[in-house]
Amino acid sequence: MARGNFSRVTEFILLGLSDVRELQLLFFTLFLLAYAMVLLGNLLIIVTVRTDPKLSSPMYFLLCNLSVVDICYTSVTAPRVLAALLLQHKAIAFEGCMAQLFFLHFVGASEMFLLTVMAFDRYTAICRPLHYTAIMARGACWALVAACWLGGFIHSTVQTVLVLQLPFCGPNTIHSYFCDLLPVVRLACADTALTEWLMASNSGLISLGCFLVLVASYALILAKVRARLSQGNWKALSTCTSHIMVVTLLFVPCIFTYLRPAGTLPPNKYVSVIYTTFLPMMNPLIYTLRSSEVKESTWRLWKRCGA
C-alpha cells in the first residue's frame, strides 16, 4: 500500500438512493417518517422504563439501553440523508465522512454486543432461574453494557484506522447515501486486498460470531423449555420471540454486507436501509407489541400525561 505522490481527496460525493427528483421526494418523506418514529418510539420506551418501578428487571434495563443505541445509530445517517434529499447537497467533507464511518460502526457493533447480552439475559432467566438475580445483578448489567460500548469503540477504531491509512487521490463518488467501509475502500488509489480481508475479518466475523452465539443461546432455551414444559417457561419463552425478530433483521443483512471483501459483489445500498433505518424503527413496535408489561406501562404513562 505504498502511497507515492497524490492529491488527497478533500470531499466525497454521495449519490444517494436515486437521481429522480420525484423518487427523492418520496424517499425524503419515508426517511423523515421513519426517523420520527425511531425518535418518538425509542424515547417512549426509555421514559416508560425509567418512570415505572415495575419495569426494573434486567430485561427492561437492557431494553432501555437498546433504545438509546437505536436513537444514536439512526442519528448517525438520517439527518445527513434528509438534508441531502431536500437540499440536493451531496458533498460530504473527508473528515465528516470518516466521522460518520467511525460512529456508524461504533454504535452498530455496540448494538450487536448488546443484543448478545440480551440473549444471555433470557438464557439465564429461563435456564438458570434460581441464579438469575445473582448473575444479572444491577452492577453486572452496568458492566455488561459498558463492555458492549467498549467493544464497539475498539471495533470501530480498528476499522477507521484501516481506512485512514489508505490513499484517496482520484474518484470520490460513493454509490450510497452514507459513508461506509466497502463503498469508501473501493475508491482508494492502492491495492486494498489485504485491507479488505482485515475489514471482513473484523466486521464480518463479529456479525457472524454474535449471530452464532445468539442461535446457540436460543437452541439451549428451546431444549430447556421442551424438557420442562410449564406455563411459566412458555411465558418466558414468548419474550424471546421479539428478540429473534430483531436479531434476524439486524444480523442477516450485516453478514451479507460485511462478511466479504469489497470487490466480490457491489455493495447494495438498499440492503443497508434495513439495518440503518428500518430496524431501529421496528424495535419499539416489536418490543411493545410482544410485551404486555410494556404496553400496560405505556398506557398508564399516557393516562398520567393526559390527566
Side-chain angles (χ1 to χ4, degrees):
M1 300 181 189
R3 289 179 176 270
N5 295 323
F6 63 90
S7 176
R8 188 175 182 85
V9 169
T10 59
E11 67 177 17
F12 293 103
I13 305 299
L14 298 170
L15 293 185
L17 294 171
S18 175
D19 292 329
V20 181
R21 185 56 181 167
E22 290 75 13
L23 286 177
Q24 289 178 345
L25 294 175
L26 175 62
F27 287 137
F28 174 81
T29 303
L30 295 177
F31 270 87
L32 181 61
L33 291 174
Y35 188 45
M37 291 182 65
V38 170
L39 294 179
L40 295 176
N42 284 289
L43 284 174
L44 179 60
I45 288 180
I46 294 171
V47 173
T48 300
V49 172
R50 296 291 296 174
T51 57
D52 193 336
K54 295 182 179 180
L55 301 180
S56 59
S57 68
M59 180 178 70
Y60 297 113
F61 171 78
L62 296 174
L63 175 59
C64 182
N65 280 275
L66 180 64
S67 293
V68 173
V69 170
D70 281 336
I71 290 175
C72 296
Y73 190 49
T74 309
S75 297
V76 174
T77 58
R80 181 66 182 75
V81 173
L82 292 172
L85 290 171
L86 185 63
L87 304 176
Q88 294 295 294
H89 183 66
K90 298 183 178 181
I92 182 172
F94 180 87
E95 293 78 9
C97 184
M98 294 300 104
Q100 188 179 67
L101 188 152
F102 172 81
F103 285 107
L104 180 75
H105 283 265
F106 175 28
V107 183
S110 300
E111 178 165 8
M112 289 186 180
F113 295 138
L114 183 58
L115 287 171
T116 307
V117 170
M118 293 176 71
F120 173 73
D121 171 73
R122 290 298 84 207
Y123 164 79
T124 307
I126 295 173
C127 299
R128 303 188 63 184
L130 298 179
H131 302 88
Y132 178 71
T133 304
I135 295 175
M136 297 301 296
R138 181 51 62 98
C141 290
W142 277 109
L144 289 171
V145 170
C148 292
W149 284 103
L150 179 60
F153 177 80
I154 295 173
H155 157 76
S156 186
T157 299
V158 172
Q159 298 291 67
T160 307
V161 168
L162 288 173
V163 176
L164 287 175
Q165 56 85 40
L166 293 173
F168 296 93
C169 55
N172 66 339
T173 301
I174 298 177
H175 294 271
S176 183
Y177 61 93
F178 65 97
C179 291
D180 199 5
L181 290 173
L182 300 184
V184 172
V185 169
R186 291 166 68 91
L187 302 179
C189 304
D191 181 8
T192 60
L194 177 60
T195 302
E196 291 173 22
W197 280 108
L198 291 175
M199 290 179 173
S201 300
N202 192 346
S203 292
L205 290 181
I206 285 178
S207 303
L208 181 61
C210 290
F211 181 70
L212 292 178
V213 170
L214 289 163
V215 171
S217 66
Y218 291 130
L220 291 173
I221 289 173
L222 288 172
K224 190 72 171 182
V225 172
R226 186 177 180 180
R228 297 190 311 176
L229 292 178
S230 68
Q231 183 178 1
N233 278 338
W234 282 114
K235 182 179 180 181
L237 180 62
S238 69
T239 63
C240 296
T241 306
S242 56
H243 197 171
I244 294 173
M245 295 171 65
V246 173
V247 165
T248 303
L249 288 172
L250 174 63
F251 283 94
V252 172
C254 286
I255 292 173
F256 169 79
T257 301
Y258 295 111
L259 195 60
R260 58 184 174 86
T264 54
L265 288 173
N268 193 320
K269 55 190 174 184
Y270 297 103
V271 172
S272 61
V273 174
I274 297 175
Y275 57 85
T276 60
T277 304
F278 182 71
L279 177 61
M281 178 186 68
M282 292 300 296
N283 273 352
L285 297 176
I286 291 173
Y287 281 104
T288 301
L289 293 176
R290 293 298 305 173
S291 174
S292 59
E293 292 86 355
V294 175
K295 286 189 291 186
E296 293 171 1
S297 297
T298 303
W299 179 244
R300 288 195 297 268
L301 177 65
W302 178 265
K303 290 195 294 184
R304 288 200 304 270
C305 294

